[in-house]
Amino acid sequence: MRSDRRREIQAQMEAERRDEMKKKGNIFCRTVSIVYTVLAVAFIALLAWLNVLPEKYFWAGVAVLVIASMFIVPVMYSRHGKKGRKIGATVVAFLLIGVFGVGTYYLADTLNFLDEITDIREVTEDYHVIVKADAIYEDISGINGQTVGTYMDNDLNYSEAKAMLQEEVTVEYGYEEGLTTVLEKLYSDDYNAILISAASYEGLKGEHPELETDTRILYTIKVPVETEDKTSAVNVTKEPFNVYISGIDVEGDISTVSRTDVNMIATVNPVTHEVLLTSIPRDYYVTLPAKGAQDKLTHSGLYGIQETIGAVEDIMGIDINYYVRVNYTTVVKLVDAIGGIEVDSPYDFTTSGMQSLNGHHFVKGINHLDGRAALAFCRERHSFVNGDMQRNENQQLVMEGILKKAVSSTTILTSYASILDAVRGNMETNMSTDEMSSLIKMQLNGMPGWDIQKQAIKGTNGWGQCYALGFSASIVNQDPEENARAVDKIVKIMTDEEDSDSNEGTAQ
């Protein structure tokens, strides 16, 4: 009797243990099903918000996910489901939770990335208080009570900068006829400090390489500038548009104010899938719209991208719809992120003239380039009789190589995260997140081939007064016929109509 009673108690305890385990199992499965549902909804919501997947793929994916969820969620949530089914549903749920978790992370990161590159910073015109490199001053208070050298200029922003400096310290101003004289008087100790624009300082560095080591910036005044957006948006998947590509001549943060050494118009026809790259000489002699003065096109970048766009629209007579602003770091990191590019070099040459990029050798014909080599290839000019003209063409070859590689399906999928990391912080554009999403969606919809064409505007070498420098320097004079021919080709691309046979065999 006692043994029977003991067995009954043991059986009861075993049954209670099984019930407890089943109860815990049900709670676990329900918890997993809730996590699964939340992540699935978040994933679908972010995917819909990003709006890069063509509708046929998006809704097909949603349908598959709904059908899978109809098996997973009810089975896991039920208290009385069969053990084998629950185990199977749990395994599938965990796999999909991993997919949703990683996918949600990358989708959120993509949205954050798009917000970052479209976050246009406040435009300022900077003015530097410059002292000699060995000056004893540690901060701006050191020049209190002194006379600061300036040059005679009736620019309103310059006057505002002088007023703002006087709010910080008590100084008088000494006025000189030109920027060169101001600099000379700093060197001769007639002035212990001078106030010049950041644009003038950057321009002077190009003419006087020793300036950066002989002097230092003691203080910078930022004068807010109200700029008119000269661009105009279009329906980027149905209407042709022009993108101005401005490459500034520095590495690091894209917010740095510097000269625009790469000046290229990308004319895109989304209907015919044609792209025309038009290069403009960096030293093209243009009128700065906001300043009403003449200067090299490269110096326009010192006054903001809208100044560059305004100058180009004036000489070309076309509308620039969008802009992309990049720097040296963008090229290096992007090319490395997509696994390098191939360019067909018209010459055999070795780079020189820019210390950090010296010694790269390129053969006539196909070259496979990593990021640093790509930068060296598109920066070199000393090896060519045509100098900057050939550099413009080499920049187009690098751009073509990037476009061909980037639009291939395998590159986009396998290098997605690397591409985002490469461009983040190194690119700025006024194209909206919705517009960029639309372009990506259009490309993924059919992976169309793109016909990439190139042209380079040429001019004649000369000499002219440059506003940013305050003195004369070498320039490239405009050739009206060259401008007209370039515009004719741009207009042709923009007015071409869809031809189903015209894009067979084009670059992928």
Side-chain angles (χ1 to χ4, degrees), residues 222-240:
K222 294 183 175 295
V223 180
V225 177
E226 292 185 9
T227 59
E228 177 187 356
D229 188 351
K230 302 180 185 301
T231 58
S232 53
V234 299
N235 185 330
V236 294
T237 61
K238 296 181 179 180
E239 301 174 58

Side-chain angles (χ1 to χ4, degrees), residues 379-404:
R379 286 291 303 155
E380 179 61 22
R381 63 187 174 93
H382 296 285
S383 299
F384 312 114
V385 175
N386 291 333
D388 278 332
M389 299 299 109
Q390 184 57 46
R391 177 162 66 173
N392 287 344
E393 295 181 19
N394 286 353
Q395 289 168 354
Q396 290 183 336
L397 291 172
V398 169
M399 178 62 69
E400 181 181 19
I402 291 173
L403 290 174
K404 285 182 177 180

Side-chain angles (χ1 to χ4, degrees), residues 230 232 241-242 313 317-321 494:
K230 302 180 185 301
S232 53
F241 57 92
N242 291 309
E313 286 185 335
I318 61 172
D319 289 331
I320 301 295
N321 305 102
M494 298 188 75

Side-chain angles (χ1 to χ4, degrees), residues 34-48:
I34 292 171
V35 172
Y36 168 89
T37 303
V38 170
L39 283 176
V41 171
F43 178 75
I44 293 173
L46 281 174
L47 198 57

Side-chain angles (χ1 to χ4, degrees), residues 39-157:
L39 283 176
V41 171
F43 178 75
I44 293 173
L46 281 174
L47 198 57
W49 190 6
L50 186 58
N51 193 29
V52 294
L53 272 186
E55 289 187 4
K56 59 183 179 182
Y57 298 135
F58 176 77
W59 289 115
V62 169
V64 170
L65 186 57
V66 169
I67 292 171
S69 299
M70 289 174 66
F71 162 75
I72 294 170
V73 176
V75 169
M76 293 184 68
Y77 206 81
S78 171
R79 291 183 179 180
H80 308 292
K82 293 183 178 180
K83 185 177 180 181
R85 286 187 176 183
K86 283 203 170 186
I87 291 174
T90 302
V91 171
V92 175
F94 268 110
L95 290 174
L96 289 177
I97 284 172
V99 172
F100 295 150
V102 173
T104 300
Y105 169 80
Y106 279 115
L107 289 172
D109 190 46
T110 301
L111 287 167
N112 182 55
F113 162 77
L114 293 175
D115 286 340
E116 283 180 11
I117 65 173
T118 56
D119 180 20
I120 308 302
R121 299 167 178 84
E122 179 188 35
V123 178
T124 62
E125 186 168 349
D126 295 351
Y127 291 82
H128 297 322
V129 176
I130 308 292
V131 297
K132 292 172 72 172
D134 58 359
I136 62 172
Y137 314 121
E138 295 183 0
D139 55 45
I140 193 66
S141 63
I143 67 169
N144 194 60
Q146 295 194 25
T147 299
V148 176
T150 61
Y151 56 93
M152 287 184 238
D153 193 308
N154 60 0
D155 185 278
L156 291 178
N157 287 344

Side-chain angles (χ1 to χ4, degrees), residues 255-377:
S255 65
T256 303
V257 174
S258 192
R259 294 165 296 189
T260 174
D261 265 16
V262 177
N263 297 279
M264 194 180 299
I265 302 170
T267 304
V268 182
N269 189 325
V271 178
T272 61
H273 303 113
E274 294 175 287
V275 176
L276 173 64
L277 302 177
T278 303
S279 287
I280 307 173
R282 66 184 293 278
D283 291 341
Y284 225 33
Y285 203 44
V286 301
T287 298
L288 304 177
K291 303 298 181 182
Q294 291 186 297
D295 207 331
K296 301 179 183 186
L297 180 59
T298 184
H299 291 159
S300 67
L302 298 168
Y303 305 102
I305 186 64
Q306 295 298 337
E307 189 76 353
T308 303
I309 290 173
V312 170
E313 286 185 335
D314 285 347
I315 64 174
M316 302 292 284
I318 61 172
D319 289 331
I320 301 295
N321 305 102
Y322 305 99
Y323 70 80
V324 175
R325 194 166 174 264
V326 298
N327 59 15
Y328 291 169
T329 305
T330 320
V331 176
V332 175
K333 288 190 174 182
L334 180 57
V335 171
D336 284 339
I338 61 178
I341 61 173
E342 288 190 347
V343 298
D344 188 357
S345 174
Y347 298 104
D348 186 292
F349 66 95
T350 300
T351 58
S352 63
M354 192 173 180
Q355 187 172 359
S356 62
L357 298 176
N358 285 349
H360 288 271
H361 182 73
F362 304 97
V363 300
K364 182 178 180 180
I366 301 298
N367 295 260
H368 183 82
L369 310 181
D370 63 11
R372 205 68 193 170
L375 179 60
F377 184 86

Side-chain angles (χ1 to χ4, degrees), residues 55 77 129 154 182 184 187 238 299 317 337 376 433 449 463 467 472:
E55 289 187 4
Y77 206 81
V129 176
N154 60 0
V182 175
E184 288 173 351
Y187 282 147
K238 296 181 179 180
H299 291 159
T433 297
W463 202 260
Y467 178 81
S472 293

